[in-house]
Amino acid sequence: MSFMTVGIIASIALLVLLFCGLQMGIDFILIGLAGFTILIGFDAACSLLGETLYNAVASPTFCVLPLFILMGSFASRGGFARLAYESVHTILARVPGALAIATTFGCAFFGAICGSTIATATIFGHLAYPEMKRYGYDKRFSLGAIACSGGFAAMIPPSGMFILFAIFTDQSVGKLFLAGILPGFLSACVFTVYMLIRAKFGNVAPMHSDEYKVTMKNRVSASFKLWPILALSFIVMGGIYTGIFTSNEAAAVGAAGTLIFGLANGTLRKKGEINKSLRETARSTAMLFIIIIASMYFSRFLALTRIPTELANFLVSWDVSPYVVFFAVICIWMILGMLIAQAAVFAMTLPIIFPVLVELGFDPVWICVIAMKLNEIAGVSPPVGINSFALAGATGERVTDVFAGTWPFITCDLIVVLILCFFPRICTFLPYSMLN
């Protein structure tokens, strides 16, 4: 049996195990170990596994992952989500669809210090959805707004998925963080335009008498209350942009700042809250490290089979426009992302596809931003849509209602993808101005 045949069979077996629901880290290790055993023997396969275990996490770059996870955990327990939501709602009082728009920008602000889409969707499901129900908002409109706005945490730094991208593609974490800022807030603005139109003409977001009681003084006061979030975001991203901090240093400063603000607000003074954050960070970091190590091991197996090399040679020599290849890649990412977890999709495909796209002349930073938008869409799309399931669990509503409410917002996300394709400078301006 040829090396390439073994690689094809292993890839099919990997997809079958993923569809069966087996944990992705175990999938990668099992298939990689079996494939290496067939090709080079069991002892050599185990030796390569041990080498990968060390090399995958020996780099200081990996410190950024647990530190930003810790920052997000402190933010989740430190009351930042409630602060962002209530402040933006006060600022936008009497605007049509104010609660939905407050949710959108609240998620954007909270995403700037959290980095977890599931945490953002779940927290705002507890915060915003009861208020929307009380104000008489349409159920599906409300659920769709929360689920899709929760995805902003994947794009707006510090994004855990961008860190994984940096690891899988050997890109700078700081560059990817900066690249996600403008597209993230562009998405929030496109959502806002849609919400204003639906609220004005669709009878989905009635005005409430409480909103008429808000004065200009209240709005100014609410704006000043956002200063901890804005200050932390400015310190972390400003430090990376100006070169004052490395990504690791920015993550450490962000985690320390979030802890200090949480203690000052009193929300992290409750017994056990800090310990819960530390345990949550340890669990998430361990899970992600297993996925990273396992995917790198599987990638080394695929490299031995020469499947990535042959595929790259075929795509580069394919007599079609590079944009046709890129559109095919987008379709693959979309379909796989709707069926299996996004981290698994990118762990499988990026080591193979990313070098090909760069060879075809596409900007690596722009590729990562487009892929992240697809990650946001996949996170709320059936049948997997993990953010939609998380929101359904948080609100007690049916997941089918969440899925039904997400489609208009998915259309908005696709519009953003088109804008980013036609105007790639939106993605590349900040990171490359940092380099200059």
Side-chain angles (χ1 to χ4, degrees), residues 158-293:
S159 163
M161 284 300 294
F162 264 145
I163 296 173
L164 291 181
F165 264 71
I167 292 169
F168 291 139
T169 62
D170 199 27
Q171 293 296 304
S172 162
V173 174
K175 283 170 60 179
L176 296 186
F177 277 2
L178 291 169
I181 295 174
L182 295 181
F185 283 99
L186 172 64
S187 300
C189 292
V190 172
F191 277 25
T192 298
V193 172
Y194 167 73
M195 291 172 180
L196 284 169
I197 295 171
R198 281 294 305 275
K200 190 75 174 176
F201 303 106
N203 196 30
V204 296
M207 198 76 71
H208 196 272
S209 59
D210 291 350
E211 296 185 59
Y212 291 99
K213 300 175 183 177
V214 176
T215 64
M216 182 57 67
K217 183 179 179 181
N218 298 138
R219 297 178 199 271
V220 172
S221 175
S223 300
F224 279 110
K225 286 181 181 178
L226 286 171
W227 77 267
I229 296 175
L230 297 175
L232 279 172
S233 302
F234 178 79
I235 291 170
V236 172
M237 298 314 302
I240 293 175
Y241 183 82
T242 57
I244 296 173
F245 299 141
T246 64
S247 297
N248 286 350
E249 291 166 348
V253 170
T258 311
L259 173 62
I260 291 169
F261 281 125
L263 290 172
N265 291 334
T267 46
L268 286 179
R269 295 182 201 167
K270 297 178 183 177
K271 183 179 179 181
E273 288 299 307
I274 294 178
N275 288 338
K276 289 177 183 177
S277 294
L278 293 172
R279 285 197 296 269
E280 182 180 283
T281 300
R283 284 196 299 268
S284 299
T285 301
M287 178 190 70
L288 288 173
F289 273 19
I290 289 172
I291 293 172
I292 292 167
I293 292 166

Side-chain angles (χ1 to χ4, degrees), residues 11-262:
S11 300
I12 295 172
L14 177 67
L15 289 173
V16 170
L17 290 179
L18 287 171
F19 284 129
C20 290
L22 192 64
Q23 206 277 337
M24 68 182 75
I26 297 174
D27 294 342
F28 284 128
I29 290 177
L30 284 178
I31 299 299
L33 184 63
F36 270 129
T37 300
I38 294 172
L39 296 180
I40 59 176
F42 181 71
D43 290 341
C46 290
S47 177
L48 280 172
L49 178 58
E51 182 185 339
T52 306
L53 284 168
Y54 174 77
N55 289 335
V57 296
S59 170
T61 304
F62 280 74
C63 294
V64 73
L65 188 58
L67 286 171
F68 273 124
I69 292 174
L70 181 62
M71 178 180 173
S73 184
F74 283 150
S76 298
R77 300 179 185 278
F80 287 90
R82 179 174 294 278
L83 174 64
Y85 174 69
E86 292 180 349
S87 297
V88 176
H89 182 211
T90 301
I91 295 168
L92 296 174
R94 295 202 295 275
V95 174
L99 277 174
I101 298 172
T103 299
T104 292
F105 279 96
C107 288
F109 282 118
F110 183 63
I113 54 173
C114 176
S116 169
T117 59
I118 297 176
T120 304
T122 302
I123 290 171
F124 277 83
H126 288 299
L127 283 175
Y129 188 64
E131 290 296 294
M132 290 181 174
K133 284 181 68 176
R134 184 167 70 89
Y135 279 45
Y137 276 49
D138 178 80
K139 184 202 307 189
R140 291 183 174 181
F141 175 75
S142 303
L143 292 170
I146 298 169
C148 293
S149 297
F152 293 160
M155 180 68 71
I156 298 174
S159 163
M161 284 300 294
F162 264 145
I163 296 173
L164 291 181
F165 264 71
I167 292 169
F168 291 139
T169 62
D170 199 27
Q171 293 296 304
S172 162
V173 174
K175 283 170 60 179
L176 296 186
F177 277 2
L178 291 169
I181 295 174
L182 295 181
F185 283 99
L186 172 64
S187 300
C189 292
V190 172
F191 277 25
T192 298
V193 172
Y194 167 73
M195 291 172 180
L196 284 169
I197 295 171
R198 281 294 305 275
K200 190 75 174 176
F201 303 106
N203 196 30
V204 296
M207 198 76 71
H208 196 272
S209 59
D210 291 350
E211 296 185 59
Y212 291 99
K213 300 175 183 177
V214 176
T215 64
M216 182 57 67
K217 183 179 179 181
N218 298 138
R219 297 178 199 271
V220 172
S221 175
S223 300
F224 279 110
K225 286 181 181 178
L226 286 171
W227 77 267
I229 296 175
L230 297 175
L232 279 172
S233 302
F234 178 79
I235 291 170
V236 172
M237 298 314 302
I240 293 175
Y241 183 82
T242 57
I244 296 173
F245 299 141
T246 64
S247 297
N248 286 350
E249 291 166 348
V253 170
T258 311
L259 173 62
I260 291 169
F261 281 125

